């Protein structure tokens, strides 16, 4: 089943832009919310599959800072789904060594969702097998500008000098401090863009796009993406092997 994958060449960190829920639903003459509900099933399937094959870091783009522009009822439905997901999956996360984290401007989320997130993160904080990070109210440019503000504050207070600014220091001020950069970025739903996701972190990430909408992206599609990744030659600007 997973035997085609080379365990020595697994991506350490997989990030996913889970796109295409609305179009999946509209194509079936269903409400967009139904697409998000089926999308939540894909999240379950991919978290489970990722854990099974040994992915250590899985980061899911669940709600962008720009998604606040959507209609209120859709935002509310997404927030409710998120809360339900956290409650329903807690047991599975605890049983499988999955630690939940979140990145983004979490303070903009409804209070009850913030509390559910913090509680789930707290209760899973000792889990060591996989880190599942949800990007919520997340924007890559916002993240970089938050990091710059923090660095500027430290310079103003004298805790830091401008000469100490380096790539490593910037990375440590991002929401993703302590996380490795993604090895593989998957975008479902057929678009070829990064939509403000992990801009700094994807400098050398391998990108995989598929027309499959997120509600149809399950274990088999995930394994295909990883299989494709395993055929790539990563060069990081240097010369290749052959
Ligand atoms: C992705 O699906 C989920 C979120 C952005 C929250 P979309 O809702 O963007 O679905 P499409 O792109 O309209 O099909
Ligand atoms: C990206 O999808 C954001 C998430 C998947 C959460 P969007 O549907 O919001 O992106 P655009 O608008 O097509 O760029
Ligand atoms: Mg979309």
């Amino acid at each position: 089943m997973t035997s085609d994958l080379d365990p020595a060449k697994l991506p350490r960190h997989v990030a996913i832009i889970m796109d295409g829920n609305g179009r999946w639903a509209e194509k079936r003459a269903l409400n967009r919310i139904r697409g998000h509900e089926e999308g939540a099933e894909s999240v379950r399937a991919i978290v489970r599959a990722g854990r099974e094959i040994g992915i250590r870091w899985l980061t899911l783009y669940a709600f962008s800072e720009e998604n606040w522009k959507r209609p209120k009822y859709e935002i509310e439905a997404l927030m409710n789904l998120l809360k339900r997901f956290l409650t329903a999956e807690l047991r599975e996360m605890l049983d499988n060594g999955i630690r939940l984290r979140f990145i983004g401007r979490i303070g903009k989320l409804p209070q009850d969702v913030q509390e559910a997130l913090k509680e789930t993160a707290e209760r899973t904080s000792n889990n060591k097998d996989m880190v599942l990070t949800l990007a919520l109210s997340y924007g890559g440019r916002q993240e970089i500008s938050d990091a710059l503000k923090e660095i500027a504050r430290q310079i103003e207070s004298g805790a830091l000098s401008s000469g100490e600014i380096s790539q490593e220091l910037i990375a440590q001020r991002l929401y993703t401090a302590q996380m490795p950069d993604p090895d593989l970025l998957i975008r479902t739903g057929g678009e070829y863009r990064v939509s403000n996701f992990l801009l700094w972190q994807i400098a050398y990430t391998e990108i995989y796009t598929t027309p499959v909408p997120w509600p149809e992206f399950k274990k088999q599609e995930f394994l295909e993406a990883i299989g494709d990744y395993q055929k790539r030659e990563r060069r990081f600007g240097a010369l290749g092997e052959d």
Side-chain angles (χ1 to χ4, degrees), residues 31 227 233:
N31 189 293
E233 185 199 357

Side-chain angles (χ1 to χ4, degrees), residues 18-24 32 36 62-63 67 70 74 78:
M18 309 184 289
D19 195 27
N21 293 354
R23 280 163 289 163
W24 177 89
R32 291 178 58 83
H36 296 313
F63 193 84
N67 287 148
R70 295 197 179 191
E74 182 166 344
L78 284 165

Side-chain angles (χ1 to χ4, degrees), residues 21-35:
N21 293 354
R23 280 163 289 163
W24 177 89
E26 281 155 15
K27 215 176 131 190
R28 286 163 181 72
L30 299 169
N31 189 293
R32 291 178 58 83
I33 309 306
R34 273 293 301 128

